[in-house]
Amino acid sequence: MVMPYIDTASTVDASRAFPLGLSVPSTGSPVMDDPRGAFANVAVYAPAVTTLDIAYQAPGGAWQLKTLPNVTNGVHHGIVEGLPVGSRYGLRPSPDHEALPLSMPAVDFDAAGDQPLLLDPYGRAVDQRENFITNVRMISDFDWGVDSSPRIPWRNTIIYEAHVRGQTMLHPDVPEHLQGTYAGLAHPAVIEHLIALGVTSVQLLPVHFHVDEPHLQSLGLTNYWGYNTAAFFAPHPGYATEAAQAAGAQAVQDEFKGMVKLLHAAGLEVILDVVYNHTAEGGTDGRALSFRGLGEMQYYRNDGHGRYVDTTGCGNSLDFGEPRVVQLVLDSLRYWVNEFHIDGFRFDLAVTLARNAANEFDPRHPFLVAIAADPVLSTSKLIAEPWDIGYGGWQTGRFPAGWVDWNDHFRDAVRTFWLADRAAIDAGGHGGSVARLADALSGSASLFEASGRSRLASVNLITAHDGFTLADLVSYDRKHNEANGEQNRDGHGDNRSYNHGFEGRTEDEDILARRAQTSRNLMASLMVSQGVPMITAGDELGRTQQGNNNAYCQDNPITWIDWTSTPESHAMLRTTKRIIRMRKEFLAGQPHDYPTREKQSYFHWFDAHGERMSGEIWQDPAHRVVQLLLGSDDGHMDGLVVVNGSAQDVKVTLPLLSNEDGTGSRLFELRLTTSELHDRRQGVRVSSGERDVVQANSISIYRT
């Protein structure tokens, strides 16, 4: 078949400044507008560039170079021939005298010898060969079948924060060629574990394409966590199987989508941890990968004198006072929802995303308003890490309706009560009162009230990727980050941890027993609290990082989950499953809008004698016993949580409550206790108004 001649000189004006990136031309020509054809509309926002070249290589062809001929409001655009699906391409500013109009033949381009190419901010895939990074033109074809989002209500959500690679690198039931990959994460053995555990939503550490910082490369380390994003539309190819990587960008994309499809089929949501607050280009002396070479004064926040204003600690901050930056992030988010069926996002250092032109946090920032008004994004799960390192950077509780916040108040209160306070008591001192813990258990309602949100706006966490694991919280008093190559200077020093008498690994059975009980206390506190619980992957198995609380650069067994079954890991997994199951049973006995209806939902507090808590007892550190009765007027079940944070066993009088017909007292059934007697006492029934023993440093949970 003879293809008709297309005069590119006569069609360049048909190019569009929107949409940004590569798209199918819209010229009316069936040849040029073929989605799989060789023509592409190219549009790049590069306000600092006079002329912008595109270098490209069709599959099996040679590199060529042309100049985008049109500029509209800082967007360089043109229709380029010879760019079929699968082509590699990149960008570069060119001196005016080197501009190559599309009406002229393309010239050869030495991809290895000429200046490095810049990534397209809207590039859908990244190809990295021998440190030469380019984009790849993609197509969206994928057989989703009947895939749909599980759309789990916030009330029923239990988040599991995981790393694609670390989740399966050591999993014995995942074939070796799938370990550490997107496909491995969706392997039946992994899905079976997640379902049996009882979590509902898998929150993945960054999967956008990222690069390693130069100082890590010099140490032979990598940015394992991935918080160094270089491309907001491209999945990280290093997490795909070797077969997919060898097959190319389309196979990588398909493997990622296949992972989402299989997780959805199992009823699990997929949430992405996204890093839009900064990019991998670092400070002003860093390597230009994309934005810096296209318009750094527009993309990055600066003081007007060419100096970056850094609210992230990573050298640069994207400027969300700039409309094009807001547009970029909104377009990226929609792309991941529409093309990859992602269910929600956790926004790293989210305060930076809501800083206005004056660099102040604004809960009505245009970015937040735009998300609230967007029919796609407003129905996604939106999770804020509500702080950054800039002025006024701690904003927990201030994000608007539609968002939930990581609750650092919860984390600190629970750690303090069960760890720091216990360390002080064991040393002969005093701990704090139960007031802060009680506030955490009840969902920090006052913290979120001013923003018009309920207790369900609180994402409750005790651990996360950043910091000690649950097992390390009970095993180390100090951080041990020597493997990071920074002489243990990195990482947070305020861990509120307690080693229970010995630093690190021990065979002392008494210490191990006390550590195990504290671990159960922490997990139980997380699961009985109002709000949305988040578990860090591996905590259910007692995973350790050997005291490293900043393992961002450790892509090795320090961070990978060890799936070896031991008596200790089996016991922790069993306890975690039981607590999650108990949480679900309680919520199933409440109306669908519990606990957001404040008048119908109740939280009654009692002291060790079954009497209402007084203000004096609330603040008295000598009283570390509290009882919480929770339920709703039209619920089918009440729960009673009894906390004993003292060093002695306590005989607690359960609250005196009449049964439904008023003819007698209620019976409380012990569902779980974190004490060493937990298996022997489960199922015991105690009448309200009667006494029951709650062991030192433990939680007992009843239902009625």
Side-chain angles (χ1 to χ4, degrees):
M1 176 179 178
V2 179
M3 299 295 292
Y5 171 73
I6 303 296
D7 182 2
T8 56
S10 66
T11 60
V12 291
D13 289 336
S15 69
R16 299 163 294 163
F18 179 85
L20 293 169
L22 267 58
S23 61
V24 179
S26 181
T27 64
S29 164
V31 175
M32 296 186 68
D33 298 349
D34 180 359
R36 293 184 176 273
F39 290 88
N41 187 88
V42 183
V44 181
Y45 178 62
V49 176
T50 303
T51 56
L52 187 67
D53 295 341
I54 177 170
Y56 55 99
Q57 179 192 43
W63 279 96
Q64 299 185 79
L65 188 72
K66 286 190 177 181
T67 299
L68 301 178
N70 301 323
V71 183
T72 304
N73 297 324
V75 177
H76 297 249
H77 56 100
I79 295 177
V80 179
E81 184 180 5
L83 254 176
V85 171
S87 298
R88 301 167 68 197
Y89 73 98
L91 309 164
R92 73 161 197 180
S94 63
D96 290 341
H97 67 276
E98 292 186 8
L100 304 165
L102 292 183
S103 57
M104 296 177 59
V107 300
D108 291 339
F109 176 72
D110 182 359
D114 287 316
Q115 74 180 78
L117 297 177
L118 301 173
L119 292 173
D120 175 5
Y122 278 72
R124 269 32 176 185
V126 173
D127 182 281
Q128 188 173 18
R129 305 179 194 177
E130 299 177 353
N131 208 34
F132 182 62
I133 305 174
T134 60
N135 292 115
V136 181
R137 187 180 182 187
M138 303 295 292
I139 197 166
S140 298
D141 290 356
F142 184 77
D143 181 11
W144 283 104
V146 295
D147 178 75
S148 62
S149 171
R151 295 200 176 279
I152 298 165
W154 273 121
R155 188 194 78 164
N156 299 331
T157 299
I158 301 174
I159 299 171
Y160 186 84
E161 188 197 42
H163 190 286
V164 169
R165 186 165 166 80
Q167 188 72 13
T168 61
M169 279 300 294
L170 300 177
H171 201 298
D173 297 327
V174 175
E176 185 176 354
H177 70 284
L178 299 181
Q179 290 175 348
T181 68
Y182 299 124
L185 187 66
H187 187 273
V190 179
I191 290 179
E192 180 182 351
H193 172 79
L194 298 173
I195 297 300
L197 183 61
V199 297
T200 67
S201 310
V202 180
Q203 180 177 298
L204 299 177
L205 266 67
V207 296
H208 291 174
F209 173 76
H210 59 268
V211 298
D212 302 322
E213 294 89 337
H215 82 276
L216 290 179
Q217 297 178 40
S218 66
L219 292 171
L221 300 172
T222 63
N223 190 318
Y224 170 72
W225 285 350
Y227 290 90
N228 205 41
T229 305
F232 295 135
F233 291 78
H236 191 66
Y239 295 157
T241 57
E242 289 185 5
Q245 293 184 56
Q250 192 70 46
V252 171
Q253 177 176 282
D254 289 349
E255 185 176 313
F256 187 104
K257 292 179 176 179
M259 173 194 70
V260 175
K261 183 177 179 180
L262 288 171
L263 291 172
H264 278 179
L268 295 165
E269 293 180 315
V270 181
I271 299 171
L272 299 187
D273 194 332
V274 287
V275 188
Y276 294 116
N277 56 78
H278 75 283
T279 78
E281 293 185 310
T284 52
D285 58 346
R287 174 185 174 188
L289 296 170
S290 178
F291 308 96
R292 176 165 296 133
L294 301 174
E296 64 178 331
M297 291 298 100
Q298 287 75 28
Y299 282 109
Y300 295 125
R301 187 175 293 279
N302 63 85
D303 62 4
H305 301 286
R307 296 186 296 265
Y308 287 174
V309 177
D310 181 10
T311 60
T312 67
C314 300
N316 63 64
S317 305
L318 283 174
D319 185 2
F320 280 78
E322 165 60 47
R324 287 293 188 182
V325 171
V326 173
Q327 177 190 5
L328 170 73
V329 176
L330 292 172
D331 287 346
S332 171
L333 292 169
R334 288 192 207 96
Y335 176 72
W336 286 96
V337 173
N338 291 331
E339 292 295 328
F340 291 86
H341 292 200
I342 295 302
D343 303 293
F345 304 91
R346 179 266 186 188
F347 294 82
D348 183 64
L349 300 182
V351 170
T352 292
L353 282 58
R355 288 185 177 273
N356 57 26
N359 201 28
E360 297 172 340
F361 174 78
D362 181 1
R364 295 191 61 80
H365 188 283
F367 173 67
L368 302 179
V369 171
I371 287 182
D374 189 286
V376 173
L377 300 180
S378 62
T379 59
S380 300
K381 280 187 160 71
L382 304 170
I383 306 170
E385 182 184 36
W387 50 78
D388 64 15
I389 68 165
Y391 176 78
W394 291 84
Q395 298 292 337
T396 307
R398 291 200 62 206
F399 275 75
W403 288 72
V404 299
D405 301 359
W406 269 25
N407 188 349
D408 53 308
H409 294 251
F410 178 93
R411 177 199 65 204
D412 293 348
V414 174
R415 287 190 183 189
T416 297
F417 188 85
W418 291 117
L419 295 163
D421 283 0
R422 184 172 179 184
I425 293 171
D426 286 355
H430 300 282
S433 72
V434 297
R436 287 188 64 195
L437 178 69
D439 181 64
L441 296 180
S442 61
S444 309
S446 60
L447 183 64
F448 296 96
E449 184 178 10
S451 65
R453 294 178 293 165
S454 73
R455 308 167 197 270
L456 289 181
S458 175
V459 173
N460 299 327
L461 68 155
I462 296 170
T463 65
H465 64 276
D466 187 2
F468 279 149
T469 66
L470 191 69
D472 287 354
L473 276 177
V474 302
S475 304
Y476 294 91
D477 281 354
R478 304 177 303 279
K479 61 181 180 175
H480 296 268
N481 299 353
E482 291 81 5
N484 297 351
E486 299 181 42
Q487 290 75 52
N488 206 31
R489 293 191 300 265
D490 62 308
H492 209 292
D494 182 20
N495 298 292
R496 307 184 190 208
S497 59
Y498 178 36
N499 67 18
H500 293 78
F502 186 85
E503 188 74 358
R505 182 177 176 84
T506 181
E507 300 298 328
D508 187 303
E509 293 185 1
D510 179 62
I511 291 177
L512 291 175
R514 290 190 287 127
R515 287 177 177 178
Q517 183 162 325
T518 301
S519 297
R520 294 193 293 268
N521 289 339
L522 294 169
M523 189 63 75
S525 297
L526 179 63
M527 286 301 157
V528 301
S529 297
Q530 299 298 303
V532 180
M534 186 188 87
I535 299 173
T536 304
D539 278 353
E540 75 276 20
L541 300 169
R543 181 176 74 91
T544 177
Q545 291 181 168
Q546 303 169 29
N548 193 323
N549 76 346
N550 189 36
Y552 76 104
C553 56
Q554 300 298 325
D555 186 5
N556 52 56
I558 289 178
T559 51
W560 302 341
I561 294 179
D562 183 356
W563 294 91
T564 304
S565 181
T566 65
E568 293 79 14
S569 67
H570 176 76
M572 188 63 199
L573 178 60
R574 181 169 174 266
T575 295
T576 305
K577 288 180 177 179
R578 287 176 57 188
I579 299 172
I580 291 176
R581 184 167 60 249
M582 181 190 62
R583 176 186 178 88
K584 290 184 173 182
E585 289 173 355
F586 172 77
L587 289 175
Q590 309 304 322
H592 71 90
D593 51 0
Y594 174 89
T596 57
R597 292 189 306 165
E598 292 292 337
K599 292 183 178 179
Q600 285 75 26
S601 304
Y602 48 78
F603 305 89
H604 300 314
W605 300 94
F606 303 89
D607 62 19
H609 305 293
E611 303 293 335
R612 297 281 184 171
M613 290 284 286
S614 66
E616 180 181 354
I617 293 179
W618 270 126
Q619 302 304 324
D620 187 351
H623 290 84
R624 287 176 57 83
V625 177
V626 68
Q627 302 184 69
L628 167 60
L629 180 73
L630 64 167
S632 58
D633 292 340
D634 44 359
H636 303 294
M637 180 191 305
D638 282 350
L640 179 68
V641 180
V642 184
V643 174
N644 179 8
S646 69
Q648 296 82 35
D649 296 353
V650 176
K651 289 186 177 180
V652 173
T653 302
L654 303 189
L656 183 59
L657 303 171
S658 59
N659 57 24
E660 291 184 359
D661 56 14
T663 59
S665 299
R666 292 197 205 179
L667 282 176
F668 289 96
E669 178 189 355
L670 182 63
R671 296 285 293 141
L672 183 143
T673 174
T674 62
S675 77
E676 60 186 1
L677 302 175
H678 57 108
D679 283 331
R680 283 176 281 173
R681 298 208 65 226
Q682 183 179 1
V684 168
R685 295 190 176 189
V686 183
S687 178
S688 67
E690 298 296 325
R691 304 173 79 186
D692 198 13
V693 175
V694 180
Q695 284 196 315
N697 292 302
S698 73
I699 300 176
S700 292
I701 304 169
Y702 305 80
R703 72 176 179 187
T704 178

